[in-house]
């Protein structure tokens, strides 16, 4: 899933997310997640435009995970409080 400046991909084997910064604009790309078991958090890419970072979430075997990509002003705070723009939530079965 993506929004201007950020792309997030989920890989269920290994509980990994990949965050790509897709725009050279000085902002960070981030990804947010929440599970049906109450886990939540974020991953951010601070390496700059056209780079991708991998974050291992080490989740407790959830049945569902919701996530979205965001472009942030400064540090990506929980659930997008610093998000300049974000994609809609996407839900996937794990």
């Amino acid at each position: 899933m993506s929004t201007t400046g950020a792309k997030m991909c989920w890989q269920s084997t290994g509980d990994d997310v990949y965050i790509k910064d897709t725009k050279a604009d000085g902002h960070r790309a981030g990804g947010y997640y929440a599970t049906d078991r109450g886990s939540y958090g974020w991953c951010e890419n601070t390496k700059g435009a056209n780079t991708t970072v991998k974050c291992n979430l080490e989740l407790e075997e959830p049945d569902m995970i919701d996530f979205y990509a965001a472009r942030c002003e400064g540090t990506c705070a929980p659930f997008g409080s610093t998000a300049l723009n974000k994609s809609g939530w996407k839900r996937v079965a794990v």
Side-chain angles (χ1 to χ4, degrees):
M1 91 182 19
S2 62
T3 188
T4 301
K7 182 176 183 179
M8 180 178 188
C9 297
W10 160 257
Q11 182 180 0
S12 61
T13 55
D15 291 339
D16 297 326
V17 294
Y18 296 87
I19 307 295
K20 182 173 184 177
D21 187 330
T22 61
K23 189 171 184 176
D25 59 5
H27 298 294
R28 295 180 184 187
Y32 300 86
Y33 69 90
T35 73
D36 60 334
R37 306 253 188 218
S39 296
Y40 64 90
W42 64 96
C43 174
E44 62 186 296
N45 181 339
T46 60
K47 298 188 180 287
N50 299 312
T51 63
T52 302
V53 297
K54 172 184 168 183
C55 297
N56 183 291
L57 306 182
E58 298 184 22
L59 300 173
E60 289 184 38
E61 302 308 315
D63 295 321
M64 303 293 286
I65 183 167
D66 298 296
F67 58 95
Y68 68 83
R71 181 174 60 127
C72 305
E73 178 68 45
T75 300
C76 291
F79 293 98
S81 61
T82 60
L84 298 170
N85 54 283
K86 58 188 176 182
S87 67
W89 285 97
K90 180 175 182 177
R91 173 169 277 197
V92 294
V94 179

